Amino acid sequence: MYFAVICRDKPGALQTRMDNREKHLAYIEETGVVFMAGPFLENDQMVGSLVIVEAESLEAAQDWAANDPYAKAGLFEDVQVKAWKKVIG
């Protein structure tokens, strides 16, 4: 089952994002559950993330999100994990 991990960065936290970007990308690679992902942009600046993960349950997707290095670094102001269904693409 797919889940959308929708994250909003804390205001002014771009440096936290940049400092942890390599760890975040490595986590995505190591865990192997990410279907697709990318940052939200405002004025060409990264301000959040959308990550679609494949997991067996909502709890497993929430656990994945909580262990993301971005989350552990305190980057996010808000994180939502919702079931997601691929329709097109």
Side-chain angles (χ1 to χ4, degrees), residues 15-32 34 49 51 64-76:
Q15 192 58 52
T16 300
R17 175 178 279 276
M18 299 311 295
D19 291 346
N20 291 278
R21 187 167 170 78
E22 285 184 34
K23 291 177 193 171
H24 166 72
L25 294 174
Y27 179 69
I28 287 174
E29 182 73 25
E30 290 165 8
T31 57
V34 175
S49 301
V51 183
W64 184 92
N67 285 295
D68 182 340
Y70 278 167
K72 288 185 171 187
L75 174 62
F76 301 129

Side-chain angles (χ1 to χ4, degrees), residues 10-88:
K10 291 177 181 173
L14 181 59
Q15 192 58 52
T16 300
R17 175 178 279 276
M18 299 311 295
D19 291 346
N20 291 278
R21 187 167 170 78
E22 285 184 34
K23 291 177 193 171
H24 166 72
L25 294 174
Y27 179 69
I28 287 174
E29 182 73 25
E30 290 165 8
T31 57
V33 299
V34 175
F35 174 65
M36 65 181 190
F40 291 114
L41 302 175
E42 288 180 5
N43 300 318
D44 294 325
Q45 297 268 337
M46 293 180 282
V47 296
S49 301
L50 171 63
V51 183
I52 306 298
V53 299
E54 188 170 7
E56 292 189 19
S57 65
L58 176 60
E59 293 78 17
Q62 290 169 328
D63 185 58
W64 184 92
N67 285 295
D68 182 340
Y70 278 167
K72 288 185 171 187
L75 174 62
F76 301 129
E77 179 176 66
D78 182 61
V79 177
Q80 297 177 38
V81 181
K82 299 180 179 202
W84 181 81
K85 181 179 178 181
K86 179 182 174 188
V87 176
I88 298 172

